[in-house]
Amino acid sequence: MKGEKGERRKKELLKIAYRMFIEKGYDNTSIDEIITEAGIAKGTYYYHFPSKEATLEAVIDMMISEEAERAKNVISTPIPVPQKIVAVTMSMRPQLEESGIAGTLERSENIVMHEKINLRILDVTVPILTEVVKEGISQGIFDCTNVEERVKMILIICQRIFDSGSFNERDVEVFIDMTEKTLGAKTGTMSFIKELIH
Amino acid sequence: MKGEKGERRKKELLKIAYRMFIEKGYDNTSIDEIITEAGIAKGTYYYHFPSKEATLEAVIDMMISEEAERAKNVISTPIPVPQKIVAVTMSMRPQLEESGIAGTLERSENIVMHEKINLRILDVTVPILTEVVKEGISQGIFDCTNVEERVKMILIICQRIFDSGSFNERDVEVFIDMTEKTLGAKTGTMSFIKELIH
Amino acid sequence: MKGEKGERRKKELLKIAYRMFIEKGYDNTSIDEIITEAGIAKGTYYYHFPSKEATLEAVIDMMISEEAERAKNVISTPIPVPQKIVAVTMSMRPQLEESGIAGTLERSENIVMHEKINLRILDVTVPILTEVVKEGISQGIFDCTNVEERVKMILIICQRIFDSGSFNERDVEVFIDMTEKTLGAKTGTMSFIKELIH
Amino acid sequence: MKGEKGERRKKELLKIAYRMFIEKGYDNTSIDEIITEAGIAKGTYYYHFPSKEATLEAVIDMMISEEAERAKNVISTPIPVPQKIVAVTMSMRPQLEESGIAGTLERSENIVMHEKINLRILDVTVPILTEVVKEGISQGIFDCTNVEERVKMILIICQRIFDSGSFNERDVEVFIDMTEKTLGAKTGTMSFIKELIH
DNA sequence: GATGAATGAGTATTCATTCAT
DNA sequence: GATGAATGAATACTCATTCAT
């Protein structure tokens, strides 16, 4: 039976590693720095994680599963379908903004981690959004086939355009237009997005 | 005036480095391996390149400029505008396919290089395609504003979907639909793409 | 009085350690691997053994004492003295052959353990064989002084030549000849050995 | 063209490593200690040797080849054949005695290196001594077949008995007797050995 | 233009052992 | 008897970069 004590320590370690990976990049964060920060011995670190790589995976797992949780809660909320779509999408990167480190994933030392995270987010988010869009179709808000593929492509653009923060008003307009047309919505259905992004 | 002899050697080195970066990944290719492969001394390498990072930049420069050349040739060709778009897009990754290493950029050890290349390709291709689309608009084939942003988003999807090679027929259909709607083209305008991708 | 339960577990551990030391070498076998294989906790291991080194000693003790038992049984058997000598010598490495891992002790990772075992075997076997040879002398089969030293040297050759398994027919012939002459036996006394080794 | 400078440095390193391996044992000598002793950077060490293991091999090579040189010189010396045998055998471990570290190879931390050295010495010495014994046969001093195998077994005993230094007078007597009988020499032929070992 | 010897900071990982519960 | 979390010293190896010749 795994002790609770160990599990708690592991969680702590995970949070520290998460923050450091984000702040300095995975490659630039050495095990020595992690254990110094955590105030533990090297052996303790390796007691909890088999390798640095495994720690990265665990960090991403933790992050994604927390976000997926939030995203699923959004679904059952009684808000209009278009808003749901945006809410689910948004729920996938709140922590970064909380911690005031939005944009850090874009730094070149974080590319590898960013890619891993984005792929995992796609895996998790596509099925959720597919459900939401289908709900929209049944309500006559959207009208399209191949929902999954459409959702995937919209998300890809989202990640690429909005992760970096270096987008402009025209980017947003085009994104709204593409989303509406891709999902077969009436013009204006998604235009509330413009308000969300000052 | 730099000697021709030195320039020739530099080009050779660049090609060797290019091949090795692609095959093994940038991080996994050590300078020792490059000079062994090239049969030169370490000092000679550093005579030509100030750093490994600079070599990567030079490699990407070389690749991109060759491809941009090809892309520009396509523009002045008397083929229909929709075909031009595809031709320009395609002209940006022929070398990989030539060398039978398509898909290698997807490997995780190549993420960093891949990202750099993709960003550079966007920089180079967006203005070219913007011109082509504007040509299409003047011919009444397309109808849209914010051309540059639309082109960028279409290219982003292109890179993400088609680089990996793991797309299916529905992906292609959705991509065609999105492209037509995004550019304000009649349905069917871009459907010839389906034939190109068996 | 130590509990029987604990003793039983210790024996099991010993057998597991023995097998792993033989298969992978002492240095290459970590305590973690032993306890994983045994399905016990690390503390339990250290409850039974003060150190890894002590485990090795215990393993060797166990092995040697089992073999010494067998060797002593041979002595009191009513077979001719020359055969007794061979039987005693042979009784010192049956387990290896049983378990189909003859030759493993030769692998370089096992040198240390092998040396320890060989020294212990010498310690145990020399006095036994000395008795046997003296019996042979009293029967007029052998004729020599300094019996103990002669026995030791014959055993040394035995270990070196036959442990590796890479000996040839001429090695055997020379070994027989040396043994006979060293012990002052008539030519042919030990030639039955040739039959034993196909 | 390999520079002489590098070769000289490599030789120096080899000597330092040799001494440290002998004094402290191979396993107990860390790379850090070697480079500190040599006053060089870690990179320099790894410029000259691909690994610690390779250094050990090079050390043994150096030692053996120097000794083999000496042994071959002995052969062409106009001394009696029995003396030649002893001289060749002795020439294989003079450095140890010079450096006052005879017996160190016996320490358990040196077992691995000792075994490697002994095997190499056998490889080198057996053919040389075989020639010498054949010379003795042609002079009527020895009388035996399977010379190579006999020489090998005598050397094995030599290594085991005399390396440790813990032998007694009776061991020497038995060794002399075995050698004479094994090679088919008259009693007394090798008895001069007794004088050599006080 | 070219060489290659020298650098040294940087890094992940291993593992026997301890001890409070 | 048994557990398992914690320890921390030890260690081999990598590699981009420099510079005297």
Side-chain angles (χ1 to χ4, degrees), chain D residues 105-118:
Chain D
L105 278 181
E106 294 308 302
R107 291 207 314 265
S108 79
E109 64 259 35
N110 284 331
I111 287 181
V112 174
M113 187 166 59
H114 192 189
E115 283 289 313
K116 286 202 176 201
I117 291 175
N118 272 349

Side-chain angles (χ1 to χ4, degrees), chain C residues 21-33:
Chain C
F21 288 167
I22 293 280
E23 282 172 13
K24 320 179 38 174
Y26 172 73
D27 280 327
N28 295 328
T29 305
S30 71
I31 289 181
D32 271 296
E33 288 170 315

Side-chain angles (χ1 to χ4, degrees), chain B:
Chain B
M1 173 178 53
K2 279 208 175 171
E4 302 169 24
K5 202 173 151 201
E7 279 307 300
R8 228 179 305 133
R9 168 150 298 184
K10 192 171 171 177
K11 270 270 167 69
E12 276 171 37
L13 268 172
L14 226 38
K15 278 179 187 167
I16 289 169
Y18 170 55
R19 180 164 45 77
M20 297 185 82
F21 287 167
I22 294 279
E23 283 172 12
K24 320 179 37 172
Y26 172 73
D27 279 329
N28 295 328
T29 305
S30 70
I31 290 182
D32 271 296
E33 288 170 318
I34 294 174
I35 64 172
T36 300
E37 187 86 6
I40 62 167
K42 201 164 272 186
T44 311
Y45 173 87
Y46 276 95
Y47 176 79
H48 290 294
F49 300 103
S51 70
K52 192 185 170 188
E53 182 77 18
T55 308
L56 176 59
E57 300 297 341
V59 158
I60 293 176
D61 277 348
M62 182 184 71
M63 188 190 330
I64 296 289
S65 65
E66 286 180 9
E67 291 171 349
E69 196 71 22
R70 247 190 313 260
K72 274 173 197 154
N73 289 338
V74 167
I75 292 188
S76 45
T77 302
I79 56 173
V81 163
Q83 271 82 348
K84 268 191 194 173
I85 290 177
V86 173
V88 167
T89 308
M90 290 302 189
S91 69
M92 295 313 278
R93 47 180 60 59
Q95 299 180 313
L96 301 184
E97 276 136 31
E98 273 167 24
S99 44
I101 40 178
T104 51
L105 278 181
E106 295 306 303
R107 290 205 315 262
S108 78
E109 64 259 34
N110 285 331
I111 286 181
V112 174
M113 188 165 59
H114 193 191
E115 284 289 314
K116 287 202 174 200
I117 291 175
N118 272 349
L119 286 176
R120 291 289 300 277
I121 286 180
L122 275 190
D123 286 346
V124 168
T125 315
V126 165
I128 297 176
L129 279 189
T130 299
E131 279 317 296
V132 176
V133 170
K134 281 182 178 164
E135 190 189 346
I137 291 173
S138 72
Q139 293 177 12
I141 299 173
F142 300 135
D143 178 18
C144 62
T145 58
N146 295 330
V147 179
E148 198 177 313
E149 285 74 20
R150 289 172 193 272
V151 161
K152 189 172 64 181
M153 295 194 194
I154 290 168
L155 277 173
I156 286 171
I157 294 177
C158 236
Q159 289 181 340
R160 198 80 189 203
I161 299 291
F162 298 120
D163 275 7
S164 72
S166 67
F167 54 89
N168 59 38
E169 213 173 313
R170 288 193 306 282
D171 287 313
V172 178
E173 274 173 32
V174 171
F175 175 72
I176 289 171
D177 186 47
M178 284 182 80
T179 304
E180 289 172 352
K181 286 175 176 154
T182 298
L183 298 180
K186 278 193 204 129
T187 301
T189 307
M190 305 302 293
S191 64
F192 68 97
I193 293 176
K194 224 183 298 183
E195 330 291 282
L196 296 177
I197 307 169
H198 41 224

